[in-house]
Amino acid sequence: MTDLTNLGVKAIRDGVAAGDFTAREVAEAFNANVAAAKDLNAFIVATPEKALEAADAVDAKRAKGEELGTMGGVPIGMKDLFCTDGVQTTAASHILEGFVPQYESTVSANLWRAGAGMLGKLNLDQFAMGSSNETSYFGNVISPWRKPGSNAALIPGGSSGGSSTAVAARLAPAATGTDTGGSIRQPAAVTGITGIKPTYGRCSRWGVVAFASSLDQAGPMARDVTDCAIMLEAMAGFDPKDSTSLDMPVPQWEAGLNADLKGKKVGIPHEYRMDGTDQAILESWERGKEWLRDAGAEIVDISLPHTKYALPAYYIIAPAEASSNLARYDGVRYGLRDLPEGAGLQDMYAATRAAGFGDEVKRRILIGTYVLSAGFYDAYYTQAQKIRTLVAQDFEKAWNECDLILAPTTPNAAFPLGGFDGDPLAMYLNDVFAVPASLAGLPAMSVPAMLNGDGLPLGLQIVSKPFDEQGVLNAGLAIEQRSGFDATPDKWW
Amino acid sequence: MVRCGAANAFAMSITREEVAKIASLARIRMDEAELDRMVPELNNILGWVEQLGEVDTSSVEPMTAVIPQAMRLRDDVVDADPLTAGGRREDVLANAPAAEHGFFGVPKVIE
């Protein structure tokens, strides 16, 4: 029999439905890969019994001739930012170590209802704050990719670094991610996989540990565009428990896939051509234009004039929201409590938060507290929200000239672990191409384009109007069909 | 140190005392070494975001909702959604570091 862990979401679902193999066989194969990949540190907790339990339920349904669901028999990895009933959920922090939710997040519940099973909870940057998965309390995630002939560990991207690693290393056919300012797209790009952040509000935030609520969006990470379409369809949907959930029907994205881009205009924003951008990144962009032209699209030059201000605005808005959201970790209701001898309530708060948060989280809470403090609120926070309006207006104007936007996902390929130690600001610049679409709430996806001269993957990003995930997926499919990208990391773990 | 509420007026740089004050507001205990490390890092980041002051935003409204939506009100029904309904005290207390007699336990507070 073929190695079942080489199959993606669609192949597994269809194979289980056709009786080519059982869901249990699939779950066992992936459970074995998870257990053998401790060196990658992609999982905080493995839940092989959960994967088997879901698989057995699907196999039993099939025996009775019942519907198996759109993800029937597909085991997935769950980013440890989604609350899972009875399974520890940490956001990769010490402050939530041992926290066992008594309820299930809407997105994960939707996936289980569609027939998916859980392989485990995936590592991430602490509270989803980071671009390299080096801020987790549970250790760094290591990319399965290495430069040929080198043993140097590379970053898997972040914050969904456990997700990107699990999919790239064949530990899971797909995984959930969340994207606040690039946390699905950047890790997907640097590990040679596919990931989509839908329009803000498509996926419910209920039960997802909050980072920056006006930006946080869940989405799928998988091996190809079709698998992302299937999984996003299962994840999305209106949820009255999330006040910003979109009250709209979920389109049939899988059925709507169509790589013919005739009549579509694809905009190339010249502001994304920044000084010092890697030559290989520019080359991948040129190839992307050719592929989309070949699919029938017309390439047009556009301008997004406030692009350079998007990232600094994000680094005011996201920390401001984080400082407010993370105020809930107080050592009273759940999570860590540090109660020094003789300490009062205020001392307990301060000691608990000092012990429970990592450096990057503290840094962002302090920045957020500062920009929201009396006397600075208008200069920093209000100004950033005005810039956010301008960034969104740039996109609105661009839609008069084009239907989609093509850009690189990242300014560089995966970098070595520790590459930005002591320089948080330089690390932030990794999300320079991803953040504008986040600020504007737009659907955006990264698809693999090519390997650079070091043999490392590079991704291309497609952005579209609100609610046009289909347009994003279709252009992604057109690229995927032409790039011929089928590189996988050589197994060393 | 410039203290000013007007738009486009940024602080020159943040002092060690101010970082200590913010940490206290954020209820994060910080020792001297941590403060020493944090001050230049925060100044580096704040210095970089100050470029936002270059943009004339005098006629721009700050964003309040990225996808315009009307605020929904749920039906005025008791326990409309069992997942967010009442009557789940045990679940609510299940993860508390100290729960006693059906309440969250905290250190004695005497003002």
Side-chain angles (χ1 to χ4, degrees), chain B residues 7 13 22 26 38-39 43 45 48 57 59-60 66 74 87 91 96 99 101-102:
Chain B
S13 75
I22 299 161
M38 224 29 114
V39 172
N43 271 317
I45 295 165
W48 170 67
T57 55
S59 59
V60 180
V66 65
R74 68 162 173 78
D91 288 343
H101 315 299

Side-chain angles (χ1 to χ4, degrees), chain A residues 405-423:
Chain A
I405 291 168
L406 176 74
T409 309
T410 60
N412 44 256
F415 46 88
L417 240 65
F420 289 109
D421 277 359
D423 193 356

Side-chain angles (χ1 to χ4, degrees), chain A residues 136-183:
Chain A
S136 167
Y137 177 73
F138 301 95
N140 302 331
V141 178
I142 313 295
S143 174
W145 290 87
R146 287 173 166 178
K147 294 183 188 179
S150 163
N151 288 334
L154 298 175
I155 60 102
S159 67
S160 309
S163 306
S164 64
T165 285
V167 174
R170 305 298 187 249
L171 314 183
T176 54
T178 61
D179 193 314
T180 302
S183 281

Side-chain angles (χ1 to χ4, degrees), chain A residues 358-391:
Chain A
D359 278 350
E360 181 62 22
V361 176
K362 289 178 186 171
R363 203 176 287 130
R364 296 204 199 186
I365 291 175
L366 293 192
I367 292 276
T369 306
Y370 183 67
V371 300
L372 291 177
S373 63
F376 299 103
Y377 185 95
D378 281 340
Y380 286 102
Y381 185 69
T382 306
Q383 177 71 355
Q385 290 289 40
K386 287 179 170 184
I387 302 283
R388 189 173 181 185
T389 298
L390 292 171
V391 169

Side-chain angles (χ1 to χ4, degrees), chain A residues 233-252:
Chain A
E233 224 174 290
M235 294 168 72
F238 174 61
D239 180 7
K241 295 188 294 305
D242 171 1
S243 65
T244 58
S245 176
L246 287 174
D247 192 358
M248 297 170 81
V250 177
Q252 294 187 306

